[in-house]
Amino acid sequence: DAGITQSPRHKVTETGTPVTLRCHQTENHRYMYWYRQDPGHGLRLIHYSYGVKDTDKGEVSDGYSVSRSKTEDFLLTLESATSSQTSVYFCAISERGQGTTPLHFGNGTRLTVT
Amino acid sequence: EDKVVQSPLSLVVHEGDTVTLNCSYEVTNFRSLLWYKQEKKAPTFLFMLTSSGIEKKSGRLSSILDKKELFSILNITATQTGDSAIYLCALGGATNKLIFGTGTLLAVQP
């Protein structure tokens, strides 16, 4: 497996609370991504980073923010969690931009918002 | 808008059968098409097809890309129960962001 660690692996939280998910890589890859996976929707890109402090939005970015202060860490924050954000969240990394080199995924974080 | 459609949505076969999974796409500027296998956890990379590499093979798995008809297929021969998984197709276009299909759920029965 590519050196990608997501934490926590599982989390249950209440509506309205802030939540931060962490992705840590040991591959020194420039690009990092956050996806969510839901039945019937497949994998959808939330945000991605193309370098330290360089981030951009994906297709489902509303309600989420990200930060990348070090090459190895990419944080996803739900400022005020809602039930619609119940999902499985995957972090991914790649050497170059999407479509030019494969993405490698972490094992996911299962988030339940009650 | 770039788009990926996978078919069938699900498939049940018996060990030893050959299966063909389909991925059709619409794209403004094609860059690549990728296949992933997802069991219980993370999707794992299988193949990447580009304009310079339209056919890939690894063991019992193979994939081709038809840029004229805008589709790709993933073939699995002599299927085994360990092939049971969701198979995902992803498209790389001009936006520099991968677009994933919803996947094909393959179940291989003993």
Side-chain angles (χ1 to χ4, degrees):
Chain A
D1 291 345
I4 308 168
T5 305
Q6 291 187 232
S7 59
R9 293 297 312 281
H10 303 273
K11 184 165 183 69
V12 180
T13 192
E14 293 184 350
T15 298
T17 59
V19 177
T20 295
L21 308 183
R22 180 177 183 248
C23 179
H24 179 79
Q25 61 143 330
T26 58
E27 304 297 319
N28 201 35
H29 283 351
R30 178 181 173 189
Y31 290 81
M32 299 185 75
Y33 312 86
W34 279 106
Y35 284 86
R36 61 178 290 175
Q37 187 174 36
D38 305 287
H41 290 279
L43 284 159
R44 292 181 292 174
L45 181 65
I46 305 171
H47 282 281
Y48 71 101
S49 170
Y50 48 97
V52 173
K53 298 186 179 178
D54 293 322
T55 64
D56 201 357
K57 295 179 180 180
E59 60 182 307
V60 289
S61 59
D62 288 348
Y64 302 95
S65 62
V66 290
S67 66
R68 191 167 179 200
S69 58
K70 298 186 290 185
T71 298
E72 57 266 36
D73 291 325
F74 193 31
L75 304 180
L76 177 70
T77 297
L78 290 66
E79 302 290 345
S80 178
T82 67
S83 59
S84 65
Q85 294 176 312
T86 292
S87 186
V88 179
Y89 291 85
F90 286 100
C91 175
I93 64 174
S94 66
E95 288 186 78
R96 297 190 294 275
Q98 295 193 60
T100 56
T101 54
L103 268 64
H104 298 282
F105 288 86
N107 283 329
T109 294
R110 183 173 295 276
L111 176 68
T112 303
V113 183
T114 61
Chain B
E1 184 177 324
D2 296 352
K3 186 178 176 182
V4 175
V5 178
Q6 292 188 245
S7 64
L9 290 180
S10 64
L11 189 57
V12 180
V13 300
H14 289 95
E15 273 192 315
D17 288 349
T18 293
V19 299
T20 298
L21 310 182
N22 302 287
C23 176
S24 63
Y25 62 89
E26 298 173 16
V27 67
T28 304
N29 287 300
F30 178 85
R31 190 191 295 260
S32 62
L33 189 139
L34 294 84
W35 285 97
Y36 285 83
K37 176 183 181 182
Q38 185 176 23
E39 297 174 87
K40 294 191 184 301
K41 296 180 180 178
T44 54
F45 171 70
L46 295 174
F47 299 119
M48 185 166 83
L49 303 159
T50 65
S51 297
S52 59
I54 62 172
E55 192 167 343
K56 300 280 185 178
K57 183 175 171 63
S58 176
R60 297 178 295 104
L61 276 66
S62 63
S63 182
I64 63 170
L65 173 70
D66 188 324
K67 283 191 66 183
K68 181 179 178 183
E69 300 298 330
L70 306 184
F71 74 90
S72 174
I73 61 171
L74 177 67
N75 271 323
I76 309 174
T77 59
T79 52
Q80 303 170 356
T81 55
D83 295 325
S84 296
I86 297 172
Y87 289 85
L88 299 167
C89 169
L91 175 69
T95 63
N96 205 33
K97 299 172 187 176
L98 279 182
I99 297 170
F100 282 83
T102 54
T104 293
L105 175 61
L106 173 65
V108 181
Q109 295 182 341

